[in-house]
Amino acid sequence: MSTTSLPTPDHSPRLRAALLAADFTADGLLDLLGAPAYAALARSETVPALRATRGDTPLETLVRLFLLQRPVPRERAAVALPLDEALAGGWVVEAAGEVRATVDVRPYGGPEGQDWFVVSDLGLAVGGAGGASGHDEGVVLGVGGASTTLAGITVRTPVGTALDLGTGSGIQALHASQYATRVTATDLNPRALAFTRLTLALSGAPAAELLEGSLFEPVGDETYDLIVSNPPFVISPGVRLTYRDGGMGGDDLCRTLVQQAGERLNTGGFAQLLANWQHVEGEDWQQRLRSWVPNGCDAWIVQREVQDVTQYAELWLRDSGDHRTGPEEYAARYDAWLDEFEARKTKAVGFGWITLRKSGTEQPSIVVEEWPHPVEQPLGDTVRAHFERQDYLRTHDDAALLADHFVLAPEVVQEQVGLPGAEDPEHVLLRQNRGMRRATKVDTVGAGFAGVCDGTLSAGRILDAIGQLVGEDPVLLRDRTPQAIRTLVEEGFLEPAPGPR
């Protein structure tokens, strides 16, 4: 399907009104289908949803039409839609008394309860599970796990300008339209830009500036307050599918994107993206990623998952449907992936999040960590707070730290770990129940210190009191404790107390 045969946004307001009137929303779908069928649909499994939509209500008609890609009788479509306008706009086509959808339209709940719709190619509302098999390389996917992950970690504060680089079906641009005065969306694939225009129009969001081209080339020398990107980060032996294969060797596309993002950010601006990176024989992966960070930027890089090269190849061979080809063809493609990794001395591939902030400092904070544990989305506020804490620690030496006042972060709890019946615990844990959900081991002094941090006393005064209680020299305690306080602040267990003291 070329871009000229895609629907036009002209009739979007009437179509949107009809979808909402039928309760064709994220909540409406959950109520109609039930949780199991709703979850199955997110995995591209349609049978449970087909069983749940055997009636003739407008909502059931719309689900069958736009989500399940089933033809519906004209008379049913005319009840659920302004059919003449939907036909004129190219959203549906009619043949032999039946109406079919030309695109996938998926309800999507915005962060503040907005009823949005993401428009993508038929059958490609979510990635994986062979979703792109049999389609042209320029197919455009809808909302998948990577899209929602990026949306969840994005810092969402009011900004003047935002750039969605590699927009796909436009979900990040849709989010950005709620807090950015001007949104620019780019993509190498012109079909993706057409779908982004439809997603924004059908969601009732402001239009974005849409530019065709690779990486930062379409935007010239423009700078932005926020850059987000879910790029084609797959490390593959060639370009077969535009939405996932970046066209550069290894992880060069992600590296280039990170390195070029610094000069495209305004001071204080954030660049946030998902990425894959190689674990190369003889190289420390953390140092390798540190070398990507541009000058003048703080960075927080979180590795969420690591796969060996066989697991990684199999994942993306399934994604493109190669597991359903003949055994010889599958083996040849699998071999090509392993040849690529062997040539690059790649032993594994990491996946995670990269956030840059343009600080302009000569002493940047670059944190590279592995965190495969569950987190609480959305994490945008957690990401912003991380960089605020780095600013604080960079400007406070040990003396300033001891003179300051702290409070325990919300929903931090203390756990004592030891054998049943033992007089004293083996160790004490502080655990976060929000955000990154970290846990850290502390000694008796650290636990006592955190427990009384309510902003009333300075850190130094608290340590003096603890020293008297446990019989330790307060001077020695002041000397050895600031690093522990610094770690508790850096990881978000303690926060500087607000307001004047």
Side-chain angles (χ1 to χ4, degrees):
M1 183 189 294
S2 69
T3 55
T4 55
S5 62
L6 290 177
T8 68
D10 301 343
H11 302 285
S12 298
R14 282 287 310 279
L15 183 57
R16 173 176 170 79
L19 299 181
L20 294 178
D23 205 18
F24 187 63
T25 63
D27 289 342
L29 282 185
L30 183 58
D31 289 342
L32 171 67
L33 302 179
Y38 187 82
L41 196 57
R43 301 190 300 268
S44 298
E45 296 289 349
T46 59
V47 172
L50 282 167
R51 292 172 61 87
T53 55
R54 291 179 287 196
D56 59 0
T57 66
L59 177 55
E60 289 167 297
T61 298
L62 293 172
V63 171
R64 286 199 161 234
L65 190 62
F66 287 117
L67 290 186
L68 304 179
Q69 284 88 56
R70 294 298 193 275
V72 300
R74 175 187 170 86
E75 57 270 19
R76 284 183 58 183
V79 172
L81 290 169
L83 186 55
D84 288 344
E85 293 189 26
L87 287 165
W91 294 89
V92 296
V93 292
E94 182 182 5
E98 291 187 325
V99 174
R100 288 181 176 269
T102 61
V103 290
D104 188 299
V105 177
R106 179 166 296 259
Y108 179 87
E112 296 178 2
Q114 301 99 326
D115 289 317
W116 289 340
F117 301 96
V118 178
V119 188
S120 65
D121 271 312
L122 287 171
L124 293 171
V126 291
S133 177
H135 291 268
D136 296 333
E137 67 166 27
V139 295
V140 177
L141 272 64
V143 180
S147 303
T148 54
T149 294
L150 179 59
I153 67 172
T154 301
V155 176
R156 304 203 179 281
T157 53
V159 294
T161 54
L163 170 65
D164 177 12
L165 191 152
T167 186
S169 56
I171 184 60
Q172 310 305 330
L174 180 56
H175 277 280
S177 71
Q178 304 303 294
Y179 54 86
T181 303
R182 180 168 64 88
V183 177
T184 300
T186 69
D187 207 288
L188 184 63
N189 182 2
R191 287 175 54 77
L193 299 176
F195 274 115
T196 294
R197 181 180 291 109
L198 296 174
T199 290
L200 294 172
L202 195 57
S203 298
E209 178 186 31
L210 304 176
L211 301 175
E212 181 182 343
S214 177
L215 296 176
F216 291 103
E217 178 270 329
V219 301
D221 296 328
E222 287 285 329
T223 57
Y224 299 88
D225 301 313
L226 175 70
I227 299 170
V228 292
S229 183
N230 178 17
F233 53 64
V234 177
I235 299 170
S236 58
V239 179
R240 290 178 61 202
L241 297 168
T242 303
Y243 73 86
R244 72 171 202 190
D245 302 322
M248 296 187 185
D251 52 19
D252 283 355
L253 182 134
C254 292
R255 176 183 56 79
T256 301
L257 180 54
V258 172
Q259 291 178 335
Q260 293 182 357
E263 62 188 21
R264 307 294 177 155
L265 284 173
N266 296 324
T267 300
F270 287 92
Q272 298 186 262
L273 65 143
L274 304 182
N276 278 180
W277 43 78
Q278 298 164 200
H279 285 228
V280 179
E281 291 179 19
E283 292 186 31
D284 180 277
W285 71 270
Q286 293 178 314
Q287 286 302 116
R288 192 164 184 275
L289 289 178
R290 282 176 169 271
S291 72
W292 292 8
V293 179
N295 293 333
C297 286
D298 296 327
W300 186 19
I301 302 173
V302 182
Q303 180 168 274
R304 295 288 289 156
E305 184 180 358
V306 182
Q307 292 185 322
D308 67 48
V309 292
T310 61
Q311 291 174 308
Y312 189 79
E314 290 161 14
L315 168 68
W316 294 108
L317 287 167
R318 286 194 302 272
D319 171 81
S320 55
D322 289 309
H323 61 306
R324 294 197 289 266
T325 62
E328 290 185 4
E329 184 179 351
Y330 176 76
R333 290 188 185 260
Y334 199 151
D335 232 9
W337 283 75
L338 296 186
D339 284 344
E340 175 79 4
F341 290 131
E342 185 176 338
R344 296 183 176 277
K345 298 183 178 180
T346 301
K347 57 185 180 179
V349 178
F351 168 81
W353 320 322
I354 298 178
T355 300
L356 306 177
R357 188 193 54 167
K358 186 69 168 286
S359 60
T361 180
E362 295 181 0
Q363 298 177 306
S365 162
I366 302 176
V367 177
V368 184
E369 63 176 322
E370 186 164 15
W371 191 255
H373 312 294
V375 298
E376 182 189 51
Q377 287 275 34
L379 279 170
D381 289 343
T382 299
V383 172
R384 187 184 70 250
H386 167 89
F387 288 95
E388 290 173 348
R389 292 194 299 270
Q390 300 305 317
D391 285 342
Y392 173 85
L393 293 171
R394 189 160 41 211
T395 56
H396 286 69
D397 60 15
D398 286 355
L401 214 61
L402 292 173
D404 213 343
H405 299 231
F406 298 92
V407 294
L408 198 63
E411 296 195 35
V412 171
V413 298
Q414 177 180 304
E415 298 176 2
Q416 297 186 352
V417 181
L419 293 173
E423 185 173 340
D424 296 312
E426 292 178 21
H427 55 263
V428 177
L429 289 178
L430 297 181
R431 185 181 299 278
Q432 301 167 351
N433 285 324
R434 294 173 59 185
M436 294 295 285
R437 293 180 172 171
R438 299 186 188 276
T440 189
K441 188 187 298 185
V442 293
D443 60 15
T444 304
V445 171
F449 180 87
V452 297
C453 278
D454 61 2
T456 304
L457 298 176
S458 69
R461 292 276 301 279
I462 292 173
L463 289 179
D464 291 343
I466 291 175
Q468 289 182 343
L469 284 173
V470 301
E472 284 203 44
D473 184 340
V475 175
L476 295 178
L477 205 55
R478 280 174 173 255
D479 284 344
R480 71 175 176 86
T481 307
Q483 183 54 48
I485 297 174
R486 196 172 290 277
T487 299
L488 290 175
V489 172
E490 181 174 19
E491 294 188 348
F493 292 93
L494 292 178
E495 299 174 353
R501 291 175 289 275

